[in-house]
Amino acid sequence: TWNLANQNFPSLWYTLEVTLENFLTPFLNHDKEASWEGDSLKKVSKWPIYFPKDVEKIDFNNLKRVIKYANVKHGVEHVFIDHLHYLISGKEMASSKSTSLYIGDKLRQLRKIAHETGVSIFLVAHLQKIPEEENPTINHMRDSSFIGQEADIVLVLWRDRLKQPVNKLVDGIDMLETFYPHVNCAVEKSRRTGRKGQIFLGYEKGLYHEISKQQVDSLKEEYEQ
């Protein structure tokens, strides 16, 4: 999102799991115009990042209308939804005969919205619990395999757990870390090219950026000392 904003590509964000202020906080280290008043965010730069006014009222019934408005009004071509289970109705899912089929139907509706509005939709979906020694794959999607089946591209992200927790200074805060600082990002599906692979992401001032395998090995050595 930050990279898109800095290249002047507008995006629409459904921050359904966290507050807008929590969402924007990681960007502030990179924003010279940001200012605070007490503990509240007062001002940020005019990034081309947009948010629905009434997030609480967002569901599949008005999703297309909001996305279409953002596309026409602000030129939005990239939509992020965090996350799937906040968007679907818990009551409807509970009353359905099959949770998997219910989610599959919603994913097909979402795919139709993307086609009809001409936008790319990035949908965050959680994974089921798996043994710690295993790496997650497309087969570990929570509640429904249709999440992976309906998507054009599936990226799976996870962090490796430390053998022993360590105390580390993160953004000026002393924390007990139980995971290595890098993030693994695997391309589990790519409908258009069929190509799979993995990259590594390093953390710096609230944002992640691609790093090399050599940098990952160096970070692991640092954390294990």
PDB file of all heavy atoms in Angstrom, residues 150-172:
ATOM      1  N   GLU A 150     -10.640 -20.031  -5.758  1.00  0.00           N
ATOM      2  CA  GLU A 150     -11.232 -18.904  -6.484  1.00  0.00           C
ATOM      3  C   GLU A 150     -10.217 -17.802  -6.797  1.00  0.00           C
ATOM      4  O   GLU A 150     -10.416 -17.012  -7.704  1.00  0.00           O
ATOM      5  CB  GLU A 150     -12.394 -18.312  -5.687  1.00  0.00           C
ATOM      6  CG  GLU A 150     -13.606 -19.222  -5.558  1.00  0.00           C
ATOM      7  CD  GLU A 150     -14.282 -19.510  -6.891  1.00  0.00           C
ATOM      8  OE1 GLU A 150     -14.168 -18.679  -7.807  1.00  0.00           O
ATOM      9  OE2 GLU A 150     -14.906 -20.574  -7.015  1.00  0.00           O
ATOM     10  N   ALA A 151      -9.140 -17.736  -6.029  1.00  0.00           N
ATOM     11  CA  ALA A 151      -8.160 -16.661  -6.198  1.00  0.00           C
ATOM     12  C   ALA A 151      -7.291 -16.890  -7.431  1.00  0.00           C
ATOM     13  O   ALA A 151      -6.994 -18.028  -7.804  1.00  0.00           O
ATOM     14  CB  ALA A 151      -7.276 -16.563  -4.958  1.00  0.00           C
ATOM     15  N   ASP A 152      -6.880 -15.786  -8.071  1.00  0.00           N
ATOM     16  CA  ASP A 152      -5.919 -15.873  -9.177  1.00  0.00           C
ATOM     17  C   ASP A 152      -4.510 -16.081  -8.646  1.00  0.00           C
ATOM     18  O   ASP A 152      -3.707 -16.797  -9.241  1.00  0.00           O
ATOM     19  CB  ASP A 152      -5.957 -14.589 -10.014  1.00  0.00           C
ATOM     20  CG  ASP A 152      -7.202 -14.502 -10.882  1.00  0.00           C
ATOM     21  OD1 ASP A 152      -7.712 -15.557 -11.300  1.00  0.00           O
ATOM     22  OD2 ASP A 152      -7.677 -13.381 -11.128  1.00  0.00           O
ATOM     23  N   ILE A 153      -4.213 -15.411  -7.533  1.00  0.00           N
ATOM     24  CA  ILE A 153      -2.882 -15.500  -6.919  1.00  0.00           C
ATOM     25  C   ILE A 153      -3.057 -15.732  -5.423  1.00  0.00           C
ATOM     26  O   ILE A 153      -3.898 -15.098  -4.792  1.00  0.00           O
ATOM     27  CB  ILE A 153      -2.060 -14.211  -7.156  1.00  0.00           C
ATOM     28  CG1 ILE A 153      -1.819 -13.991  -8.654  1.00  0.00           C
ATOM     29  CG2 ILE A 153      -0.731 -14.252  -6.415  1.00  0.00           C
ATOM     30  CD1 ILE A 153      -1.170 -12.669  -8.983  1.00  0.00           C
ATOM     31  N   VAL A 154      -2.282 -16.636  -4.870  1.00  0.00           N
ATOM     32  CA  VAL A 154      -2.304 -16.891  -3.430  1.00  0.00           C
ATOM     33  C   VAL A 154      -0.901 -16.688  -2.874  1.00  0.00           C
ATOM     34  O   VAL A 154       0.051 -17.360  -3.289  1.00  0.00           O
ATOM     35  CB  VAL A 154      -2.789 -18.318  -3.098  1.00  0.00           C
ATOM     36  CG1 VAL A 154      -2.712 -18.565  -1.590  1.00  0.00           C
ATOM     37  CG2 VAL A 154      -4.215 -18.524  -3.586  1.00  0.00           C
ATOM     38  N   LEU A 155      -0.775 -15.734  -1.947  1.00  0.00           N
ATOM     39  CA  LEU A 155       0.474 -15.495  -1.234  1.00  0.00           C
ATOM     40  C   LEU A 155       0.285 -15.957   0.210  1.00  0.00           C
ATOM     41  O   LEU A 155      -0.673 -15.548   0.858  1.00  0.00           O
ATOM     42  CB  LEU A 155       0.842 -14.008  -1.242  1.00  0.00           C
ATOM     43  CG  LEU A 155       0.959 -13.320  -2.602  1.00  0.00           C
ATOM     44  CD1 LEU A 155       1.236 -11.832  -2.412  1.00  0.00           C
ATOM     45  CD2 LEU A 155       2.048 -13.956  -3.439  1.00  0.00           C
ATOM     46  N   VAL A 156       1.174 -16.793   0.693  1.00  0.00           N
ATOM     47  CA  VAL A 156       1.108 -17.269   2.074  1.00  0.00           C
ATOM     48  C   VAL A 156       2.281 -16.673   2.842  1.00  0.00           C
ATOM     49  O   VAL A 156       3.432 -16.804   2.428  1.00  0.00           O
ATOM     50  CB  VAL A 156       1.148 -18.808   2.143  1.00  0.00           C
ATOM     51  CG1 VAL A 156       1.114 -19.275   3.592  1.00  0.00           C
ATOM     52  CG2 VAL A 156      -0.037 -19.397   1.380  1.00  0.00           C
ATOM     53  N   LEU A 157       1.963 -15.982   3.956  1.00  0.00           N
ATOM     54  CA  LEU A 157       2.999 -15.329   4.759  1.00  0.00           C
ATOM     55  C   LEU A 157       3.050 -15.946   6.146  1.00  0.00           C
ATOM     56  O   LEU A 157       2.014 -16.239   6.743  1.00  0.00           O
ATOM     57  CB  LEU A 157       2.727 -13.831   4.878  1.00  0.00           C
ATOM     58  CG  LEU A 157       2.832 -13.019   3.591  1.00  0.00           C
ATOM     59  CD1 LEU A 157       1.475 -12.932   2.895  1.00  0.00           C
ATOM     60  CD2 LEU A 157       3.366 -11.620   3.866  1.00  0.00           C
ATOM     61  N   TRP A 158       4.269 -16.149   6.654  1.00  0.00           N
ATOM     62  CA  TRP A 158       4.440 -16.666   8.012  1.00  0.00           C
ATOM     63  C   TRP A 158       5.829 -16.292   8.544  1.00  0.00           C
ATOM     64  O   TRP A 158       6.716 -15.943   7.783  1.00  0.00           O
ATOM     65  CB  TRP A 158       4.253 -18.188   8.047  1.00  0.00           C
ATOM     66  CG  TRP A 158       5.399 -18.976   7.492  1.00  0.00           C
ATOM     67  CD1 TRP A 158       6.429 -19.551   8.181  1.00  0.00           C
ATOM     68  CD2 TRP A 158       5.648 -19.281   6.098  1.00  0.00           C
ATOM     69  NE1 TRP A 158       7.296 -20.189   7.326  1.00  0.00           N
ATOM     70  CE2 TRP A 158       6.837 -20.050   6.047  1.00  0.00           C
ATOM     71  CE3 TRP A 158       4.976 -18.983   4.914  1.00  0.00           C
ATOM     72  CZ2 TRP A 158       7.366 -20.511   4.841  1.00  0.00           C
ATOM     73  CZ3 TRP A 158       5.513 -19.443   3.714  1.00  0.00           C
ATOM     74  CH2 TRP A 158       6.678 -20.202   3.687  1.00  0.00           C
ATOM     75  N   ARG A 159       5.949 -16.368   9.858  1.00  0.00           N
ATOM     76  CA  ARG A 159       7.240 -16.128  10.509  1.00  0.00           C
ATOM     77  C   ARG A 159       7.720 -17.411  11.171  1.00  0.00           C
ATOM     78  O   ARG A 159       6.916 -18.209  11.655  1.00  0.00           O
ATOM     79  CB  ARG A 159       7.121 -15.018  11.563  1.00  0.00           C
ATOM     80  CG  ARG A 159       6.818 -13.653  10.967  1.00  0.00           C
ATOM     81  CD  ARG A 159       6.577 -12.621  12.044  1.00  0.00           C
ATOM     82  NE  ARG A 159       7.788 -12.316  12.792  1.00  0.00           N
ATOM     83  CZ  ARG A 159       7.819 -11.547  13.881  1.00  0.00           C
ATOM     84  NH1 ARG A 159       6.696 -11.009  14.328  1.00  0.00           N
ATOM     85  NH2 ARG A 159       8.947 -11.311  14.500  1.00  0.00           N
ATOM     86  N   ASP A 160       9.032 -17.611  11.193  1.00  0.00           N
ATOM     87  CA  ASP A 160       9.631 -18.784  11.828  1.00  0.00           C
ATOM     88  C   ASP A 160       9.777 -18.544  13.321  1.00  0.00           C
ATOM     89  O   ASP A 160      10.218 -17.470  13.747  1.00  0.00           O
ATOM     90  CB  ASP A 160      11.004 -19.086  11.214  1.00  0.00           C
ATOM     91  CG  ASP A 160      10.890 -19.449   9.732  1.00  0.00           C
ATOM     92  OD1 ASP A 160       9.920 -20.138   9.372  1.00  0.00           O
ATOM     93  OD2 ASP A 160      11.766 -19.048   8.950  1.00  0.00           O
ATOM     94  N   ARG A 161       9.434 -19.552  14.112  1.00  0.00           N
ATOM     95  CA  ARG A 161       9.509 -19.426  15.567  1.00  0.00           C
ATOM     96  C   ARG A 161      10.935 -19.687  16.063  1.00  0.00           C
ATOM     97  O   ARG A 161      11.622 -20.581  15.583  1.00  0.00           O
ATOM     98  CB  ARG A 161       8.547 -20.403  16.241  1.00  0.00           C
ATOM     99  CG  ARG A 161       8.445 -20.231  17.752  1.00  0.00           C
ATOM    100  CD  ARG A 161       7.472 -21.233  18.341  1.00  0.00           C
ATOM    101  NE  ARG A 161       6.102 -20.955  17.941  1.00  0.00           N
ATOM    102  CZ  ARG A 161       5.304 -20.094  18.586  1.00  0.00           C
ATOM    103  NH1 ARG A 161       5.749 -19.435  19.655  1.00  0.00           N
ATOM    104  NH2 ARG A 161       4.070 -19.907  18.174  1.00  0.00           N
ATOM    105  N   LEU A 162      11.371 -18.880  17.025  1.00  0.00           N
ATOM    106  CA  LEU A 162      12.673 -19.062  17.660  1.00  0.00           C
ATOM    107  C   LEU A 162      12.653 -20.298  18.567  1.00  0.00           C
ATOM    108  O   LEU A 162      11.620 -20.633  19.152  1.00  0.00           O
ATOM    109  CB  LEU A 162      13.035 -17.839  18.513  1.00  0.00           C
ATOM    110  CG  LEU A 162      13.427 -16.563  17.770  1.00  0.00           C
ATOM    111  CD1 LEU A 162      13.247 -15.359  18.686  1.00  0.00           C
ATOM    112  CD2 LEU A 162      14.856 -16.644  17.269  1.00  0.00           C
ATOM    113  N   LYS A 163      13.795 -20.960  18.667  1.00  0.00           N
ATOM    114  CA  LYS A 163      13.890 -22.094  19.585  1.00  0.00           C
ATOM    115  C   LYS A 163      13.790 -21.616  21.032  1.00  0.00           C
ATOM    116  O   LYS A 163      13.190 -22.271  21.873  1.00  0.00           O
ATOM    117  CB  LYS A 163      15.206 -22.829  19.356  1.00  0.00           C
ATOM    118  CG  LYS A 163      15.296 -23.503  17.987  1.00  0.00           C
ATOM    119  CD  LYS A 163      16.636 -24.194  17.795  1.00  0.00           C
ATOM    120  CE  LYS A 163      16.712 -24.849  16.408  1.00  0.00           C
ATOM    121  NZ  LYS A 163      18.042 -25.501  16.194  1.00  0.00           N
ATOM    122  N   GLN A 164      14.393 -20.440  21.302  1.00  0.00           N
ATOM    123  CA  GLN A 164      14.327 -19.833  22.626  1.00  0.00           C
ATOM    124  C   GLN A 164      13.986 -18.357  22.472  1.00  0.00           C
ATOM    125  O   GLN A 164      14.605 -17.660  21.669  1.00  0.00           O
ATOM    126  CB  GLN A 164      15.666 -19.979  23.367  1.00  0.00           C
ATOM    127  CG  GLN A 164      16.067 -21.406  23.710  1.00  0.00           C
ATOM    128  CD  GLN A 164      15.157 -22.013  24.760  1.00  0.00           C
ATOM    129  OE1 GLN A 164      14.564 -21.298  25.570  1.00  0.00           O
ATOM    130  NE2 GLN A 164      15.038 -23.338  24.757  1.00  0.00           N
ATOM    131  N   PRO A 165      12.985 -17.833  23.209  1.00  0.00           N
ATOM    132  CA  PRO A 165      12.660 -16.399  23.124  1.00  0.00           C
ATOM    133  C   PRO A 165      13.854 -15.536  23.524  1.00  0.00           C
ATOM    134  O   PRO A 165      14.671 -15.933  24.358  1.00  0.00           O
ATOM    135  CB  PRO A 165      11.513 -16.245  24.131  1.00  0.00           C
ATOM    136  CG  PRO A 165      10.943 -17.609  24.273  1.00  0.00           C
ATOM    137  CD  PRO A 165      12.095 -18.554  24.129  1.00  0.00           C
ATOM    138  N   VAL A 166      13.953 -14.344  22.909  1.00  0.00           N
ATOM    139  CA  VAL A 166      15.048 -13.426  23.211  1.00  0.00           C
ATOM    140  C   VAL A 166      14.487 -12.023  23.418  1.00  0.00           C
ATOM    141  O   VAL A 166      13.454 -11.658  22.853  1.00  0.00           O
ATOM    142  CB  VAL A 166      16.113 -13.396  22.085  1.00  0.00           C
ATOM    143  CG1 VAL A 166      16.791 -14.735  21.953  1.00  0.00           C
ATOM    144  CG2 VAL A 166      15.479 -12.972  20.758  1.00  0.00           C
ATOM    145  N   ASN A 167      15.169 -11.214  24.227  1.00  0.00           N
ATOM    146  CA  ASN A 167      14.799  -9.808  24.415  1.00  0.00           C
ATOM    147  C   ASN A 167      15.441  -8.973  23.318  1.00  0.00           C
ATOM    148  O   ASN A 167      16.654  -9.032  23.114  1.00  0.00           O
ATOM    149  CB  ASN A 167      15.261  -9.308  25.782  1.00  0.00           C
ATOM    150  CG  ASN A 167      14.374  -9.827  26.908  1.00  0.00           C
ATOM    151  OD1 ASN A 167      13.159  -9.692  26.849  1.00  0.00           O
ATOM    152  ND2 ASN A 167      14.976 -10.421  27.923  1.00  0.00           N
ATOM    153  N   LYS A 168      14.615  -8.204  22.589  1.00  0.00           N
ATOM    154  CA  LYS A 168      15.104  -7.378  21.497  1.00  0.00           C
ATOM    155  C   LYS A 168      14.449  -6.003  21.556  1.00  0.00           C
ATOM    156  O   LYS A 168      13.303  -5.858  21.993  1.00  0.00           O
ATOM    157  CB  LYS A 168      14.803  -8.019  20.143  1.00  0.00           C
ATOM    158  CG  LYS A 168      15.696  -9.203  19.803  1.00  0.00           C
ATOM    159  CD  LYS A 168      17.117  -8.757  19.530  1.00  0.00           C
ATOM    160  CE  LYS A 168      18.023  -9.935  19.229  1.00  0.00           C
ATOM    161  NZ  LYS A 168      19.429  -9.494  18.985  1.00  0.00           N
ATOM    162  N   LEU A 169      15.196  -4.991  21.103  1.00  0.00           N
ATOM    163  CA  LEU A 169      14.671  -3.637  21.021  1.00  0.00           C
ATOM    164  C   LEU A 169      14.028  -3.466  19.658  1.00  0.00           C
ATOM    165  O   LEU A 169      14.706  -3.499  18.624  1.00  0.00           O
ATOM    166  CB  LEU A 169      15.806  -2.622  21.224  1.00  0.00           C
ATOM    167  CG  LEU A 169      15.401  -1.224  21.701  1.00  0.00           C
ATOM    168  CD1 LEU A 169      14.787  -1.305  23.102  1.00  0.00           C
ATOM    169  CD2 LEU A 169      16.616  -0.301  21.724  1.00  0.00           C
ATOM    170  N   VAL A 170      12.694  -3.300  19.629  1.00  0.00           N
ATOM    171  CA  VAL A 170      11.947  -3.157  18.375  1.00  0.00           C
ATOM    172  C   VAL A 170      11.264  -1.798  18.370  1.00  0.00           C
ATOM    173  O   VAL A 170      10.402  -1.520  19.200  1.00  0.00           O
ATOM    174  CB  VAL A 170      10.903  -4.280  18.218  1.00  0.00           C
ATOM    175  CG1 VAL A 170      10.149  -4.108  16.906  1.00  0.00           C
ATOM    176  CG2 VAL A 170      11.570  -5.638  18.267  1.00  0.00           C
ATOM    177  N   ASP A 171      11.682  -0.924  17.435  1.00  0.00           N
ATOM    178  CA  ASP A 171      11.130   0.439  17.354  1.00  0.00           C
ATOM    179  C   ASP A 171      11.213   1.152  18.706  1.00  0.00           C
ATOM    180  O   ASP A 171      10.287   1.853  19.122  1.00  0.00           O
ATOM    181  CB  ASP A 171       9.679   0.408  16.867  1.00  0.00           C
ATOM    182  CG  ASP A 171       9.571   0.034  15.392  1.00  0.00           C
ATOM    183  OD1 ASP A 171      10.598   0.108  14.695  1.00  0.00           O
ATOM    184  OD2 ASP A 171       8.465  -0.323  14.947  1.00  0.00           O
ATOM    185  N   GLY A 172      12.339   0.949  19.404  1.00  0.00           N
ATOM    186  CA  GLY A 172      12.560   1.627  20.676  1.00  0.00           C
ATOM    187  C   GLY A 172      11.887   0.981  21.870  1.00  0.00           C
ATOM    188  O   GLY A 172      11.962   1.501  22.987  1.00  0.00           O
TER     189      GLY A 172
END
